[in-house]
Amino acid sequence: QVQLVESGGGLVQAGGSLRLSCAASGRTFSSYAMGWFRQAPGKEREFVAAISWSGGSTVYADSVKGRFTISRDNAKNTVYLQMNSLKPDDTALYYCAAALRPVTGLRSGYDYWGQGTQVTVSS
């Protein structure tokens, strides 16, 4: 069992930056691939980024490639999402998730989910 708690969301102007954090409970954090997803009002939850258990492999959605960076610190049981050059279209509730399988962008591939942290980007 893994519990995930996101933080770091907030209100930022277009062009600004935010860093999201996801703290995980449990001793087996390093066994999980980790992902970030987001859901805007009236839209489906969509994949943002994912990282393998070792941090050696990362995957990004085309919409965030070059602007967002996912990383992890297994000693701190934490995964991060650095978001730069934010756009109003990035406004959403951001969720972190854990998967007991190789890094994947598929929502169905994740076993545990956090409650989300809100990111709002003003124009």
Side-chain angles (χ1 to χ4, degrees):
Q1 187 81 9
V2 175
Q3 292 185 330
L4 304 172
V5 179
E6 302 95 335
S7 62
L11 173 64
V12 64
Q13 289 188 330
S17 298
L18 281 175
R19 188 175 84 153
L20 305 184
S21 298
C22 174
S25 66
R27 299 180 179 180
T28 59
F29 173 75
S30 60
S31 300
Y32 291 83
M34 299 296 296
W36 286 97
F37 289 74
R38 66 187 182 185
Q39 187 167 17
K43 295 188 177 181
E44 294 289 318
R45 191 172 300 188
E46 64 174 5
F47 170 72
V48 175
I51 189 167
S52 62
W53 68 271
S54 67
S57 179
T58 56
V59 182
Y60 295 93
D62 287 344
S63 59
V64 306
K65 207 171 289 185
R67 300 188 299 123
F68 290 12
T69 302
I70 188 171
S71 62
R72 68 189 295 162
D73 185 339
N74 286 343
K76 295 183 178 180
N77 280 14
T78 303
V79 63
Y80 305 97
L81 185 68
Q82 177 66 43
M83 306 186 295
N84 298 329
S85 302
L86 282 161
K87 306 174 182 179
D89 284 349
D90 295 317
T91 295
L93 189 60
Y94 282 71
Y95 297 90
C96 117
L100 264 177
R101 53 184 52 83
V103 61
T104 177
L106 296 176
R107 179 179 171 182
S108 60
Y110 289 82
D111 305 286
Y112 302 101
W113 293 83
Q115 294 299 306
T117 185
Q118 179 67 39
V119 172
T120 303
V121 184
S122 63
S123 57

